Amino acid sequence: MTRTDRPTYFLDLALRCAQQGTCIRRNSGAVIVDGTRIVSTGYTGTPVGMPHCASLGCYREEHRVPAGKNYEACRSVHAEMNALLQARESVAGMTMYLASLDVATGAEIVRGPCMLCTKLLLNAGIAQVVIRGDTVPFRTPEEFYREHLAAMEADWAACSPYGGSNHA
């Protein structure tokens, strides 16, 4: 049997964590690693002791909340958040590995952290994020933050009568 390299091993673990998720739309798994040591894992799911979306239904789906918007209207805690909460030590300088699944199709999807998770990763000091299936070997939380800001600015420009950031 051939052993896989460490990044593949950690991404495989992140995928396994995603399979534990309880969201009925999309599930992600996260693994925080310090060098070669696993510090914590997390997956998408409701807070401890709360009913899962599978038994309650999806609030976001029922109210047609678009993907990527209004995460406060979600019962689940994201995998990245759960991994940060499970860490019993500072994660500054560490790497987070992410993998995601579309629940309806079972297909792997390539997606980075949302804006809220990105801000948490920045403040926690995560050095880099590796995403299963991404064409880029790794990205920093700062890169995700800039991407989210650019998308927010584009959304604002599209719907604002002021035409972008020059609003008064």
Side-chain angles (χ1 to χ4, degrees):
M1 182 161 94
T2 306
R3 290 174 51 133
T4 60
D5 57 81
R6 294 267 183 193
T8 301
Y9 170 68
F10 296 135
L11 289 168
D12 288 349
L13 288 173
L15 180 61
R16 180 61 188 95
C17 289
Q19 293 166 348
Q20 286 296 113
T22 62
C23 176
I24 59 175
R25 293 173 72 178
R26 281 176 288 289
N27 282 308
S28 294
V31 178
I32 298 176
V33 176
D34 185 11
T36 60
R37 183 177 63 88
I38 297 170
V39 173
S40 70
T41 63
Y43 58 84
T44 309
T46 54
V48 175
M50 298 292 110
H52 296 300
C53 296
S55 61
L56 294 173
C58 178
Y59 181 88
R60 293 172 58 83
E61 203 167 79
E62 292 164 8
H63 293 86
R64 295 186 176 97
V65 178
K69 306 285 184 200
N70 304 96
Y71 285 115
E72 68 278 2
C74 180
R75 291 184 183 100
S76 287
V77 178
H78 289 184
E80 301 92 328
M81 295 177 193
N82 274 323
L84 290 170
L85 289 167
Q86 295 299 323
R88 298 290 186 235
E89 60 188 83
S90 170
V91 296
M94 296 184 192
T95 300
M96 179 175 279
Y97 292 84
L98 294 174
S100 298
L101 295 169
D102 180 278
V103 174
T105 65
E108 289 186 41
I109 52 178
V110 179
R111 58 188 295 204
C114 72
M115 179 58 140
L116 180 55
C117 287
T118 296
K119 292 187 283 187
L120 293 172
L121 296 176
L122 277 166
N123 279 359
I126 291 288
Q128 60 185 13
V129 179
V130 180
I131 301 170
R132 186 177 174 97
D134 200 354
T135 56
V136 180
F138 70 87
R139 291 191 252 172
T140 65
E142 291 85 359
E143 290 173 277
F144 287 112
Y145 187 74
R146 284 192 294 274
E147 289 173 17
H148 286 300
L149 288 178
M152 288 168 43
E153 184 65 26
D155 284 350
W156 171 256
C159 67
S160 170
Y162 305 109
S165 62
N166 294 328
H167 55 282

